[in-house]
Amino acid sequence: MVKLHPLKSPNRLKLGVFSANADGGLAITDVPERWQAGWQDNLTAAQIADRAGLEFVLPIARWKGFGGKNKVREWSFETFTWAAALGAATEQIGLFMTVHVPLVHPLYAAKALATVDHISQGRAGLNIVCGWNPKEFGMFGVPLVEKGYDQAAEWLDIVERLYASDQPFDHDGTYYTMKDAVSSPASLQTPRPVTMNAAFGGPGRDFAAAQCDYLFTTFSEIADAGRHVVDIGERAQKAGRDVGVYTVAHVVCRETMEEARAYYDRYAVTQADRAAVDAHMAGKKEFSQSHDSHAYDRYRQRFAGGAGTYPLIGTPESIAAEMVAIADQGYQGIALSFVNYTQELPYFCDRVLPLLKAAGYRG
Ligand SMILES: Cc1cc2nc3c(=O)[nH]c(=O)nc-3n(C[C@H](O)[C@H](O)[C@H](O)COP(=O)(O)O)c2cc1C
C-alpha cells in the first residue's frame, strides 16, 4: 500500500540529508575525514537517516567540480539512479531526485521519476533546478537559458500530462515538440511525486508558487529569514496555492560550543580548500542569484563550510534551539549537510532529535 509521503507527515519541522551524493557533501575542505561520497557511505548515511525517522534524502545535481586540491564535487552520483537504489534499500524515508530542467528531457524525467516512485512505493520527490554553471552546461553543448523558469513551467506541465493521460498526445510548445507521447507507468503519487524548486530569485519563486509544492531556498540570518517565507506566501496566494518553504544548513554538532567552533574553524578556515572555495564563490556570484548579494562578502567561511548555506555550529541544545527558531520563521523543513555524514549523523540524531521532540516540533 502506498503510504503518505514523509514530507506530508505531521512533524512541524521536517529534516533531511542534503548533498551526500557528491564529493565533499556541501563542504569545500581538505581535512582527511572529508566526505568522499562512495556508494557504501551513501547507503549507510541514508539508512541511518531512515532509521532515525528523518523525512528525506536530497541529492545535489552536479556535473563538474570546482577544481582545487580535491576537485571537490567532480565525483557525484547521478540522482535518478542514486534514488532508485536507495529506494530499494530503505523503508520509509523520502527520496528526492534533483533534475536540471535544461539538461533532461521531460519524457525521460517522467519515466525515471515514476520508476523510483514505484520502487519506493510512493516515496519519490522531484527537486527542480534550472542550473547556473556554464561549465556544466558546456559539457552538454547547451547554453545557459535566460528564461529557465518558462522552460521549467512547460517541462513540469509535460511531466504531469504524461502521468494524467492514458492516450498518446502531441505537444507543440516553446521548448518541446513531442509526437504521440506516452509514459507508462504514471507515478504512484498523484498527480505527480512531491515537487520542490530550488531557487532564490523572483522568477524561481513565481514558478514554485504557481506549480510546485515547496520552494527550497537559502537565508543569511535566522532573525531575518521569515521575509522569504512571507514573500513566497504572497506569490503563492496570488496563484491561489499553498507552497511550503524548505531551507538548507551545514552542521557541526559537538558536546561543547568550543569543540564545535574549533572544528568549524579547522575544516572551513585553516584546512579549507582555498582554490576551490575561490572558484565556487566566483562562479556562483557571477552566474547565480541563489544567495543574498552580501553573502559573498561576509561569509567566506560559510562557503567553505557548506556552499554558502546557514551554519548550525554548536551543542545539541544550541542547534535544536536554532532549528526551532528557523521553524518559527515559517520554514517547514531543513536539509542538512555534515563534513562526514556517516560519522556525524548518529550523534546528531541521538542528541538533537529528542530535543526537537520535547519542544513539540517532531514526533
Ligand atoms: C537551496 C538551493 C539548492 C540548489 N541546488 C542546486 C543543484 O543541486 N544544482 C544546481 O545546478 N543548482 C542548484 N541550485 C541553483 C539553482 O538551480 C539556480 O540556478 C540558482 O538558484 C539561481 O537561480 P535563482 O535566481 O532562480 O535562484 C540551488 C539553489 C538553491 C537556492
Side-chain angles (χ1 to χ4, degrees):
M1 239 243 330
V2 180
K3 294 190 217 137
L4 201 61
H5 191 279
L7 261 66
K8 307 242 168 96
S9 90
N11 282 348
R12 180 157 162 202
L13 181 66
K14 292 5 172 233
L15 293 175
V17 172
F18 185 45
S19 198
N21 65 312
D23 174 274
L26 278 190
I28 308 180
T29 181
D30 192 32
V31 290
E33 67 278 19
R34 62 187 292 280
W35 186 245
Q36 299 198 359
W39 171 246
Q40 281 306 325
D41 282 340
N42 267 271
L43 183 60
T44 303
Q47 289 176 334
I48 293 168
D50 189 36
R51 281 197 293 270
L54 300 195
E55 280 80 8
F56 63 96
V57 285
L58 174 57
I60 198 165
R62 214 36 337 118
W63 301 95
K64 202 168 194 142
F66 300 112
K69 186 168 172 205
N70 301 304
K71 293 194 188 145
V72 64
R73 309 279 193 280
E74 193 115 315
W75 168 300
S76 79
F77 287 132
E78 188 284 320
T79 71
F80 285 120
T81 42
W82 175 87
L86 292 179
T90 51
E91 302 287 332
Q92 54 181 5
I93 198 162
L95 307 144
F96 274 90
M97 285 136 271
T98 300
V99 184
H100 276 109
V101 160
L103 305 181
V104 181
H105 193 281
L107 194 138
Y108 187 95
K111 181 149 285 280
L113 183 64
T115 304
V116 178
D117 208 36
H118 281 254
I119 291 170
S120 64
Q121 288 292 288
R123 290 184 282 133
L126 173 65
N127 178 31
I128 293 176
V129 291
C130 284
W132 58 273
N133 188 344
K135 291 182 180 164
E136 292 187 333
F137 279 54
M139 298 203 299
F140 289 83
V142 172
L144 268 183
V145 272
E146 248 172 54
K147 294 188 170 175
Y149 293 106
D150 285 351
Q151 184 171 357
E154 187 178 333
W155 189 97
L156 188 55
D157 278 343
I158 292 170
V159 171
E160 290 180 0
R161 193 169 168 198
L162 285 163
Y163 291 156
S165 44
D166 47 14
Q167 296 300 319
F169 63 87
D170 293 347
H171 176 86
D172 189 12
T174 310
Y175 299 92
Y176 301 98
T177 304
M178 298 163 72
K179 184 96 192 110
D180 276 342
V182 288
S183 182
S184 181
S187 58
L188 294 175
Q189 295 172 72
T190 54
R192 49 158 171 71
V194 295
T195 296
M196 52 174 59
N197 179 44
F200 186 82
R205 291 180 184 199
D206 283 336
F207 166 63
Q211 287 182 253
C212 302
D213 305 312
Y214 307 97
L215 175 75
F216 181 38
T217 199
T218 59
F219 66 82
S220 294
E221 297 306 333
I222 295 176
D224 183 41
R227 71 188 158 91
H228 302 306
V229 181
V230 171
D231 179 68
I232 183 75
E234 286 169 0
R235 291 170 197 263
Q237 201 176 22
K238 274 190 208 137
R241 300 181 70 251
D242 193 14
V243 174
V245 186
Y246 277 59
T247 192
V248 47
H250 53 287
V251 178
V252 178
C253 186
R254 296 290 187 274
E255 214 49 53
T256 66
M257 187 61 86
E258 294 66 39
E259 271 177 86
R261 288 201 178 127
Y263 185 64
Y264 191 39
D265 284 347
R266 181 154 80 75
Y267 94 81
V269 179
T270 325
Q271 292 189 58
D273 188 345
R274 283 189 198 87
V277 176
D278 289 342
H280 179 254
M281 287 181 71
K284 273 243 145 169
K285 192 170 179 181
E286 186 172 355
F287 297 111
S288 111
Q289 289 116 44
S290 40
H291 300 277
D292 277 331
S293 51
H294 65 258
Y296 299 100
D297 308 321
R298 278 200 216 153
Y299 301 128
R300 189 182 163 86
Q301 184 170 5
R302 292 187 184 186
F303 280 88
T309 61
Y310 187 78
L312 289 170
I313 313 299
T315 62
E317 291 72 22
S318 75
I319 287 177
E322 282 197 286
M323 286 181 155
V324 163
I326 291 169
D328 287 348
Q329 291 282 333
Y331 291 82
Q332 293 183 4
I334 315 176
L336 307 169
S337 72
F338 299 83
V339 172
N340 187 304
Y341 297 83
T342 54
Q343 288 174 12
E344 297 180 65
L345 265 170
Y347 179 77
F348 171 83
C349 292
D350 286 352
R351 296 294 302 276
V352 179
L353 297 187
L355 297 173
L356 293 172
K357 185 174 175 180
Y361 286 74
R362 295 181 61 80

